[in-house]
Amino acid sequence: MSESSPIGHGGRLTIDLAALRANWRVLAQAAECPETAAVIKADAYGCGIARAAPALWAEGCRTFFVAHLSEALTAREAVPEAAIYVLNGFPPGRAPAYRAAALRPVLGSHDEIAEWAAANRDEGVIRPAALHVDTGMNRLGLSVPEGLGLAGDPLVRQAGIDLLMSHLVSAEVEHDPLTDHQAAAFARLRAAYPGIRASLANSSGDFLPSCRADLARPGYALYGGNPRPGRDNPMRPVVRLEAGILQIREVAAGETAGYNARWTAPGPRRLATLSLGYADGFPRASTGRGEAVVGGARCPFVGNVSMDLIILDVTGAPREALFRGAPATLIGDGLDLDAVGRSAGTIGYEILTNLGRRYERIYRD
Ligand SMILES: *Cc1c(COP(=O)(O)O)cnc(C)c1O
């Protein structure tokens, strides 16, 4: 562990705000858009809105996206002057709460548009909102024909639409024809909404010239995720997760480890037990596949990941790195988010957004 073992916590999460800011700069450069926003939903992908948003604001980021009202209210406190868009729109009757905090809903249905326009009329103030058109996800937003049909309708002005957006289905897959299809549909929409800013790219789309518009919306890559899987990651790691070793033991061939004896020692082995488990947000699905770095050596998980403990086979680790309180790295030291996600049968996004509240959290800048 970079410092002494966390006292009273199983693991230590270190969040590098300087790397977060540097990543935003890299993405702003790559996007070649007039403006680059930051997606800070899910508590800034587990990194903490309260710390991440002001760091990004200090770097020049002026527009933020969250998913829910509750996240938007946290963001509003963190960045009082920012433009904050709420991706999941707004539930019926909640327009006043959005207006009170100067939040901008992302409107994706005729009902939402009509309700926001009515609130604008009642207040006598047109407050901004975004319009979401679904160009292929079939998840949220007006269909492309609905979006084209609404263009020029007085409702667009009455609803304060100041941003036209759509979301990419598989921007991280190189040369996916669906991306070109979406970009072409989005170009038709943009042409139908002259004078309204447009936004298409997420982290991966940030690197695709066909997805350039007025505003880029990266999330994952800000926090260190690789926006171009299979290629070198241009982002700096933001998150580092370490846990301390509680005990070390030697086992003989044929002995088992962990609940339900799911692992059997193939020969004499040295095991170390880490003070971290699935209740910390580390996936139990990484049982049998996960790894931690101890003294520079990759050590495989053995046995089931437990609620508060993980057992490692540290036979390959240097002896001097093995002692009570010694650090093991679960994210960092070459174990990047994408690799940790793969070893749990999921994606790095889920690893980040599940990072537990149980860790000692350290912010560096
Ligand atoms: C989450 C999200 C983003 C950010 O996507 P990343 O892949 O994390 O960069 C952008 N736009 C919308 C609509 C989203 O839901």
Side-chain angles (χ1 to χ4, degrees), residues 39 41 45 87 132 139 165 167 202-203 217-220 349:
V39 180
K41 61 194 179 189
Y45 290 55
L87 290 166
H132 193 164
R139 194 177 66 166
M165 55 169 273
H167 193 38
N202 65 340
S203 296
R217 300 190 313 270
Y220 186 50
Y349 288 74

